[in-house]
């Protein structure tokens, strides 16, 4: 039998006890001739360090009618960050076209750099310069992986590559619409580099994907990707369900096996 965990979720004095069975979680699926890969971190309120509270209640009608109040931070788990995150005058989640959050994605695994190196334009040009088109989604990664936003970040254990202003300038010049990060790239190295990276790109409505998971499940480096947020006015960022679809005919031309 599976182990059962008990935990409470809620706000103030409103708590409800749930039982949670440990289950095998699939990350890839076959859909006809297409292959779907879930790139999203699974969230568990009992273990999340960022704000993640659920309050389940019955509305009290004549039939069972359960609703859930979700008390979440906009930067929870796998999330998309929009320009409003860094400037009150820049675009919020609702203000961006729906097509901002889907399209052709390129997975870029940078293998030629030394640990803790800053990713420069020439590094990206070497890794993927001939593959990037205007409007692409670019996911940057390396073999030096460490889960982000953990106690090991920025310690001797952390060998991830770093982003900086030069990384952002290259992405901006390529007219990419979204940049995502695997666990092999640090987005938390130091305030100066991280702030410059955000500002250069968000000023021109480039969005970011953080805390992507299961990238090792990809079988191709070019695929369709979706990561749609809720269209809430005034929202800077939003948790999303990110996924890749491999095998769509429009994206077969440049697909390469990883």
């Amino acid at each position: 039998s599976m182990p059962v965990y008990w935990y409470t979720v809620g706000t103030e004095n409103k708590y409800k006890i749930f039982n949670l069975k440990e289950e095998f979680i699939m990350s890839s699926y076959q859909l006809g001739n297409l292959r779907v890969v879930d790139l999203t971190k699974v969230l568990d309120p009992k273990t999340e360090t960022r704000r993640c509270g659920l309050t389940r209640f019955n509305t009290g009608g004549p039939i069972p009618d359960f609703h859930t109040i979700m008390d979440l931070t906009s930067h929870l788990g796998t999330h998309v960050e929009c320009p409003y995150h860094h400037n009150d005058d820049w675009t919020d989640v609702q203000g961006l076209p729906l097509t901002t959050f889907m399209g052709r994605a390129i997975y870029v695994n940078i293998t030629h750099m030394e640990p803790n190196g800053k990713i420069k334009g020439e590094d990206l040009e070497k890794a993927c310069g001939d593959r990037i088109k205007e409007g692409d989604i670019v996911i940057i990664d390396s073999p030096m992986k460490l889960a982000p936003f953990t106690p090991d970040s920025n310690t001797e254990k952390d060998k991830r590559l770093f982003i900086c202003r030069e990384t952002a300038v290259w992405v901006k010049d390529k007219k990419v619409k979204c940049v995502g990060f695997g666990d092999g790239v640090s987005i938390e190295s130091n305030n100066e580099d991280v702030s410059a990276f955000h500002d250069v790109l968000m000023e021109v409505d480039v969005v970011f994907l953080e805390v992507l998971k299961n990238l090792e499940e990809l079988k191709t480096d070019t695929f369709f990707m979706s990561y749609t947020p809720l269209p809430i006015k005034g929202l800077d960022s939003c948790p999303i369900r990110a996924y890749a679809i491999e095998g769509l005919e429009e994206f077969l031309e440049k697909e390469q096996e990883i």
Side-chain angles (χ1 to χ4, degrees), residues 27 37-40 107 139-142 145 180-184 211-220 223 225 244 246 258:
S27 57
V37 183
D38 192 346
L39 303 178
T40 315
Y107 176 71
I139 300 172
I140 307 173
D141 204 355
S142 84
K145 300 185 187 300
F181 310 97
D183 286 349
V211 197
L212 290 169
K213 296 299 179 184
N214 304 320
L215 293 169
E216 70 282 357
E217 294 291 325
L218 294 169
K219 290 188 176 180
T220 59
F223 46 89
M225 187 173 183
E246 298 177 333
I258 297 177

Side-chain angles (χ1 to χ4, degrees), residues 13 18-19 23 36 60 65 76 78 83 91 93 95 102 106 158 174 181 191 193 204 208 219 247 254:
N13 296 319
F18 294 85
N19 63 321
E23 298 177 358
V36 181
D65 184 21
L76 177 65
T78 307
T91 316
V93 170
M102 64 184 75
I106 306 294
D158 191 351
K174 291 290 185 178
F181 310 97
N191 292 338
D193 286 338
V204 292
F208 299 170
K219 290 188 176 180
K254 285 196 173 183

Side-chain angles (χ1 to χ4, degrees), residues 108-121:
V108 180
N109 190 26
I110 301 176
T111 58
H112 67 276
M113 294 182 62
E114 295 296 319
N116 296 146
K118 289 189 178 183
I119 303 170
K120 304 294 182 66

Side-chain angles (χ1 to χ4, degrees), residues 16-159:
K16 179 74 176 179
I17 296 178
F18 294 85
N19 63 321
L20 179 67
K21 291 184 178 180
E22 188 176 49
E23 298 177 358
F24 173 73
I25 299 172
M26 289 185 62
S27 57
S28 63
Y29 309 82
Q30 202 66 33
L31 186 64
N33 293 325
L34 305 176
R35 184 169 179 270
V36 181
V37 183
D38 192 346
L39 303 178
T40 315
K41 177 187 176 184
V42 176
L43 299 172
D44 183 347
K46 72 182 180 67
T47 57
E48 282 301 313
T49 56
R50 292 189 173 185
R51 191 166 186 148
C52 181
L54 303 179
T55 304
R56 177 175 162 89
F57 65 96
N58 194 331
T59 60
I63 60 174
D65 184 21
F66 289 98
H67 293 203
T68 303
I69 298 171
M70 300 184 295
D71 182 19
L72 314 174
T73 177
S74 61
H75 292 248
L76 177 65
T78 307
H79 60 278
V80 60
E81 295 187 354
C82 300
Y84 194 53
H85 170 44
H86 259 233
N87 191 305
D88 287 340
D89 296 324
W90 293 350
T91 316
D92 65 4
V93 170
Q94 187 275 332
L96 292 165
L98 182 60
T99 50
T100 302
F101 308 107
M102 64 184 75
R104 191 180 91 131
I106 306 294
Y107 176 71
V108 180
N109 190 26
I110 301 176
T111 58
H112 67 276
M113 294 182 62
E114 295 296 319
N116 296 146
K118 289 189 178 183
I119 303 170
K120 304 294 182 66
E122 56 263 32
D123 297 312
L124 288 167
E125 199 64 40
K126 180 176 181 178
C128 63
D130 60 339
R131 296 164 51 209
I132 306 302
K133 297 180 181 179
E134 180 177 347
D136 275 348
I137 301 153
V138 177
I139 300 172
I140 307 173
D141 204 355
S142 84
M144 293 163 278
K145 300 185 187 300
L146 182 77
F149 310 114
T150 65
D152 288 333
S153 297
N154 298 323
T155 68
E156 290 185 359
K157 297 180 181 179
D158 191 351
K159 307 299 183 183

Side-chain angles (χ1 to χ4, degrees), residues 219-237:
K219 290 188 176 180
T220 59
D221 62 6
T222 307
F223 46 89
F224 174 85
M225 187 173 183
S226 176
Y227 43 94
T228 312
L230 296 172
I232 300 176
K233 292 184 177 180
L235 191 61
D236 73 287
S237 306

